[in-house]
């Protein structure tokens, strides 16, 4: 094999290794957007972003913090952010006395408030101090985001990050270099989309589903020229939506009846277990669910003037 | 989307708006109360006030379950959460409600184990997973969520789960409406009746409003056209000198409600002699507690709660807003000291609270512009 051919193959391989993870990242766009929506909600409430990671991921943490705090793009507001790994004195002090695994968790416990966001970066998802800090953050009520790498469904076999991250963002490759590159793209997206949710003038940053539903509704009730476009499917009730009385407590479709008065229902974005013990519902029926309990079967076509 | 698109049609909305104008008697003004927070949310979100005739004003009622919980009850809940081995579970929008000793989130930051759940069933699951812990569910809501709580207690009993209990704060809508009708500082001409509460209790319980107080009430759905149709129905009744209970939301609400759900509630819960509502004061027989038979699932009996009454923050005028005496922006702290990010009063916390709905959607509505320009 000639040198030129070897070069060509190596080049092709180098690009090829970046191909699949890049596409996988694109497929994760909904996850990333969901994380940004929640992050924007926290910033709106006065929260700050706390980032941490070891080694190269520590450098990423610093990069993320400065990205939010002092954006290179003019006209975007500065958002409070700090990287725990930047503080060499504190990190080494805790490391020497308490052990490396305690470093970030210790700092978090002093810095964090319940409105904050914790973002842990780990190339392989196995860094004990990053996992420990995510758990501490979760216990303190922070929004937890994990930026990890690996090929399996769960890069941390002990399940740590899965259990403790509200949002798990993955660079889906085993190649450490590519993980890093995907991470940079991911956190640039995090910054960009968080601002998008913050700046969106037409609605609250907390709920993109509600936001877009609102726009759709405006089209149909206010603008004479616009054609009604289909509203997006309802999202399952999320953190900031009232689930007790609101109409957001969505109509869902019964998919399968389970024993004990329970059923699987299609919410439009996935299936959820609900109780149908109080209604006569069969598969295919649309039921109205409040707090996990179906209270009425939505019948069709009877919406005009009722009896009295 | 089925059941959504057909209730958001712009042409129909305009036709309804046009049909309403001739129903208003010249020189008369009309005040209708939407009892349910879900309607408040719809009205502001879709700018429905701008569709109504000038003479019609919508007043926001007390129907957001988070908003009517007094601070003292929240302090009791925090007290329970801070007992040893307790896991407190709560709906998300309850987490930020400020009590006398801070919110659930503050208590969580102090070390209490407080978790957010979407349903009491999730709370029961946590109890099963943590057999050594005492899991308490912070039950709030009107008759919409009470069946869910009741069914969960019945399930816990059937499955023999002993480490689960309910801190019951369920309230009932009828006594609140009656308190508002009896309140001297408010004169209403009709009611937009709650939709989902009625899916459980039916339309019959409202009949005294039409018969005794002579006010129309129309049970209403939550899409924009639902609300507009129902205002049209109320105006029609008034124009013809009628006062009746009508069901605009028949696609969901059966006239007699959901008997199974009512039965589940009555098996597990009974009326309290009185309950304090934020802004409305103590109202007799307006809330539910666990019955003697289910004492083992009653957090109030299991834990010794202080039960101290806490005065609402002085600056906050949630009470007046809840009674519909003040519009949200007329409150002294609205949008300045009190915002959804840093709420002082409950009305700003839940997305259904009148202040939060107004803050998020309604700042540029007709009434606001009128007020700002002094016209």
């Amino acid at each position: 094999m000639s040198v030129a051919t070897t070069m060509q193959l190596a080049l092709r391989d180098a690009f090829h290794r970046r191909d699949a993870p890049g596409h996988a990242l694109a497929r994760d766009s909904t996850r990333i957007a969901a994380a940004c929506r929640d992050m924007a909600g926290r910033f709106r409430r006065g929260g700050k972003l706390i980032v941490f990671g070891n080694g190269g991921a520590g450098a990423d943490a610093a990069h993320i913090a400065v990205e939010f705090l002092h954006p290179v793009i003019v006209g975007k507001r500065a958002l409070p952010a700090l990287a725990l790994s930047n503080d060499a004195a504190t990190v080494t002090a805790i490391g020497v006395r308490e052990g490396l695994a305690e470093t970030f968790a210790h700092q978090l416990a002093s810095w964090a408030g319940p409105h904050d966001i914790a973002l842990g970066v780990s190339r392989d998802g196995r860094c004990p101090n990053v996992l420990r800090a995510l758990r501490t953050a979760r216990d303190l009520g922070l929004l937890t985001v994990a930026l990890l790498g690996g090929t399996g469904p769960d890069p941390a076999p002990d399940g740590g990050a899965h259990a403790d991250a509200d949002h798990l963002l993955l660079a889906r490759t085993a190649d450490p270099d590519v993980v890093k590159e995907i991470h940079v793209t991911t956190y640039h997206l995090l910054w960009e989309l968080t601002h998008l949710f913050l700046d969106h003038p037409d609605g609250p940053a907390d709920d993109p589903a509600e936001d877009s539903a609102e726009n759709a509704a405006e089209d149909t009730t206010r603008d004479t020229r616009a054609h009604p476009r289909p509203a997006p499917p309802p999202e399952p009730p999320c953190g900031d939506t009232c689930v007790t009385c609101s109409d957001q407590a969505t109509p869902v479709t019964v998919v399968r009846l389970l024993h004990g008065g329970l059923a699987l229902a299609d919410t439009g974005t996935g299936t959820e277990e609900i109780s149908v013990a109080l209604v006569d519902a069969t598969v295919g029926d649309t039921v109205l669910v409040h707090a996990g309990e179906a209270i009425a079967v939505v019948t069709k076509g009877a919406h005009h003037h009722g009896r009295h | 989307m089925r059941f959504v698109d057909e209730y958001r049609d712009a042409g129909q909305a305009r036709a309804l708006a046009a049909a309403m104008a001739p129903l208003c008697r010249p020189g008369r003004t009309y005040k209708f109360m939407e009892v349910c927070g879900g309607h408040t949310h719809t009205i502001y979100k879709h700018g429905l006030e701008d569709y109504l005739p000038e003479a019609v004003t919508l007043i926001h009622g007390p129907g957001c379950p988070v908003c009517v919980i007094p601070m003292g009850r929240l302090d009791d809940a925090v007290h329970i959460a801070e007992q040893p081995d307790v896991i407190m579970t709560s709906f998300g929008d309850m987490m930020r409600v400020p009590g006398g000793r801070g919110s659930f989130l503050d208590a969580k930051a102090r070390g209490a184990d407080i978790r957010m759940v979407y349903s009491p069933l999730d709370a029961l699951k946590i109890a099963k997973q943590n057999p050594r812990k005492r899991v308490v569910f912070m039950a709030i809501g009107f008759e919409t969520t009470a069946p869910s709580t009741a069914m969960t207690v019945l399930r816990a009993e059937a499955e023999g789960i002993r480490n689960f209990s309910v801190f019951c704060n369920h309230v009932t809508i009828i006594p609140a409406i009656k308190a508002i009708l009896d309140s001297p500082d408010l004169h209403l001409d009709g009611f937009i009746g709650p939709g989902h509460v009625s899916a459980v209790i039916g339309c019959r319980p409202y009949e005294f409003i039409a018969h005794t107080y002579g006010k129309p009430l129309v049970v209403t759905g939550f899409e924009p056209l639902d609300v507009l149709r129902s205002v049209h129905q109320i105006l029609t009744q008034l124009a013809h000198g009628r006062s009746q209970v009508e069901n605009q939301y028949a696609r969901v609400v059966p006239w007699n409600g959901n008997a199974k759900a009512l039965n589940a509630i009555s098996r597990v819960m009974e009326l309290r002699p009185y309950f304090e509502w934020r802004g409305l004061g103590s109202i007799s027989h307006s809330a539910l507690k666990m019955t003697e038979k289910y004492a083992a699932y009653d957090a109030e009996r299991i834990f010794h709660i202080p039960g101290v009454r806490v005065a609402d923050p002085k600056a906050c005028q949630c009470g007046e807003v809840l009674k519909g005496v003040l519009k949200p922006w007329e409150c002294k702290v609205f949008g300045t000291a009190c915002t959804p990010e840093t709420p002082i009063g409950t009305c700003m916390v839940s997305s259904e609270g009148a202040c939060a709905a107004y803050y998020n959607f309604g700042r540029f509505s007709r009434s606001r512009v009128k007020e700002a320009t002094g016209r």
Side-chain angles (χ1 to χ4, degrees):
Chain A
M1 203 186 288
S2 74
V3 174
T5 322
T6 318
M7 265 300 286
Q8 262 178 353
L9 282 176
L11 267 176
R12 206 170 64 191
D13 174 62
F15 280 101
H16 182 71
R17 271 184 288 125
R18 283 152 176 86
D19 215 32
H23 280 101
L25 178 69
R27 282 194 300 275
D28 281 343
S29 58
T30 333
R31 277 185 180 212
I32 298 171
C36 295
R37 172 197 65 197
D38 289 355
M39 287 171 68
R42 294 295 176 123
F43 281 123
R44 281 198 156 194
R45 266 176 254 146
K48 59 184 176 295
L49 175 66
I50 304 177
V51 207
F52 40 90
N54 301 307
D60 280 329
H63 182 170
I64 294 168
V66 74
E67 199 74 59
F68 278 82
L69 197 64
H70 188 76
V72 283
I73 294 172
V74 180
K76 294 288 181 192
R77 63 186 254 220
L79 295 169
L82 69 109
L84 297 181
S85 23
N86 280 5
D87 187 350
T90 306
V91 169
T92 46
I94 298 167
V96 159
R97 197 172 325 151
E98 325 275 348
L100 186 69
E102 292 302 321
T103 45
F104 300 139
H106 230 79
Q107 288 159 281
L108 255 180
S110 312
W111 269 113
H115 294 320
D116 293 346
I117 308 152
L119 171 55
V121 188
S122 169
R123 200 197 47 179
D124 57 3
R126 289 191 170 84
C127 302
N129 53 349
V130 172
L131 298 179
R132 184 80 51 98
L134 282 172
R135 169 148 310 164
T136 304
R138 192 187 179 86
D139 289 346
L140 290 172
L142 277 75
L143 177 76
T144 50
V145 184
L147 184 54
L148 313 178
T151 43
D154 181 357
D158 52 1
H162 250 173
D164 294 318
D166 296 318
H167 296 282
L168 183 62
L169 306 175
L170 268 182
R172 295 174 196 279
T173 170
D175 184 327
D177 290 346
V178 180
V179 166
K180 174 96 176 173
E181 291 154 20
I182 298 289
H183 276 181
V184 175
T185 309
T186 309
Y187 60 70
H188 278 151
L189 281 168
L190 283 182
W191 176 82
E192 193 175 331
L193 298 184
T194 298
H195 273 283
L196 201 67
F197 281 115
L198 273 175
D199 295 344
H200 208 277
D202 296 321
D206 308 313
D207 190 345
E210 191 169 296
D211 207 20
S212 37
E214 188 201 9
N215 293 339
E218 270 191 11
D219 281 347
T220 52
T221 54
R222 285 196 184 150
D223 192 342
T224 41
R225 290 154 304 162
H227 295 290
R229 71 180 131 105
E235 290 222 331
C238 66
D240 292 326
T241 308
C242 175
V243 292
T244 48
C245 179
S246 123
D247 56 326
Q248 304 266 332
T250 24
V252 302
T253 311
V254 177
V255 180
R256 188 148 54 91
L257 294 175
L258 307 171
H259 70 278
L262 299 173
L264 279 184
D266 180 7
T267 62
T269 51
T271 50
E272 223 174 276
E273 195 176 271
I274 60 166
S275 161
V276 288
L278 300 177
V279 291
D280 293 315
T282 50
V283 172
D285 283 354
T286 304
V287 292
L288 192 77
V289 174
H290 273 270
E293 189 76 47
I295 55 167
V297 177
V298 182
T299 52
K300 185 146 171 69
H303 57 80
H304 271 302
H305 307 279
R307 297 165 284 167
H308 56 262
Chain B
M1 197 169 60
R2 209 172 141 220
F3 297 124
V4 172
D5 288 343
E6 61 257 55
Y7 299 99
R8 293 189 175 181
D9 181 79
Q12 287 194 46
R14 269 187 297 276
L16 274 169
M20 278 183 218
L23 293 171
C24 299
R25 217 176 59 210
R28 183 177 167 183
T29 56
Y30 299 86
K31 276 186 181 177
F32 303 147
M33 173 174 275
E34 85 274 8
V35 180
C36 175
H39 289 137
T40 308
H41 193 84
T42 302
I43 288 163
Y44 281 140
K45 182 170 163 183
H46 299 281
L48 294 185
E49 281 188 317
D50 296 353
Y51 273 84
L52 301 177
E54 290 271 344
V56 175
T57 312
L58 297 181
I59 308 283
H60 319 303
C64 164
V66 172
C67 302
V68 299
I69 297 285
M71 284 177 96
R73 285 300 277 188
L74 195 76
D75 289 353
D76 290 343
V78 167
H79 174 83
I80 294 175
E82 287 176 340
Q83 299 308 302
D85 298 324
V86 165
I87 300 176
M88 176 62 87
T89 55
S90 162
F91 292 135
D93 49 355
M94 204 63 215
M95 299 291 279
R96 287 191 296 135
V97 175
R101 295 180 51 230
S103 66
F104 268 164
L105 271 181
D106 296 322
K108 193 176 161 77
R110 287 196 299 266
D113 192 349
I114 304 175
R115 303 183 192 181
M116 204 184 85
V117 290
Y118 293 123
S119 73
L121 268 181
D122 290 346
L124 191 62
K125 265 183 210 150
I126 293 177
K128 279 190 236 175
Q129 287 157 4
N130 298 277
R132 292 215 183 84
K133 297 276 189 176
R134 300 185 285 178
V135 176
V136 183
F137 175 66
M138 171 81 180
I140 61 160
F142 286 92
E143 288 91 336
T144 38
T145 46
S148 179
T149 306
M151 280 309 294
T152 307
V153 170
L154 292 172
R155 281 204 167 93
E157 185 193 29
E159 295 179 32
I161 298 166
R162 309 297 301 175
N163 63 328
F164 174 78
S165 64
V166 169
F167 185 46
C168 186
N169 292 288
H170 283 295
V171 283
T172 56
I173 195 78
I174 297 292
I177 296 181
K178 191 165 180 309
I180 284 164
L181 281 166
D182 291 336
S183 159
D185 40 339
L186 197 65
H187 300 284
L188 297 170
D189 300 289
F191 286 90
I192 296 173
H196 294 164
V197 164
S198 311
V200 174
I201 66 173
C203 302
R204 248 180 243 289
Y206 303 113
E207 278 174 344
F208 77 98
I209 298 168
H211 298 155
T212 314
Y213 289 87
K215 319 271 186 199
L217 181 142
V218 178
V219 170
T220 307
F222 292 91
E223 291 299 328
L225 280 184
D226 286 327
V227 175
L228 290 176
R229 275 186 195 135
S230 133
V231 173
H232 181 259
Q233 278 176 250
I234 299 173
L235 281 170
T236 308
Q237 285 198 33
L238 290 172
H240 296 150
R242 288 188 285 131
S243 68
Q244 283 163 331
V245 177
E246 290 180 333
N247 185 6
Q248 182 274 335
Y249 200 29
R251 67 182 187 274
V252 167
V253 175
W255 191 257
N256 289 320
N258 183 333
K260 276 187 192 170
L262 289 171
N263 183 41
I265 298 176
S266 64
R267 277 176 69 189
V268 177
M269 299 174 209
E270 62 190 6
L271 283 173
R272 285 176 197 272
Y274 62 88
F275 190 75
E276 196 198 332
W277 291 53
R278 188 180 285 233
L280 300 174
S282 283
I283 305 177
S284 69
H285 299 99
S286 65
L288 300 166
K289 63 173 180 175
M290 306 289 288
T291 58
E292 193 69 44
K293 191 180 167 218
Y294 288 93
Y297 297 94
D298 185 0
E300 252 167 279
R301 286 181 169 96
I302 297 171
F303 301 92
H304 180 74
I305 56 164
V308 181
R309 281 194 59 184
V310 182
D312 288 336
K314 261 210 187 104
C316 169
Q317 294 179 298
C318 276
E320 279 72 22
V321 173
L322 283 171
K323 272 192 287 189
V325 177
L326 282 188
K327 285 282 185 179
W329 68 84
E330 290 169 331
C331 172
K332 291 191 291 273
V333 289
F334 174 82
T336 51
C338 183
T339 64
E341 287 82 29
T342 52
I344 292 179
T346 42
C347 300
M348 196 53 108
V349 176
S350 164
S351 65
E352 288 191 7
C355 295
Y358 188 79
Y359 187 92
N360 284 330
F361 301 118
R363 277 176 285 183
F364 305 107
S365 73
R366 184 183 70 192
S367 38
R368 180 64 172 144
V369 172
K370 248 197 300 192
E371 194 237 7
T373 55
R375 276 185 292 126

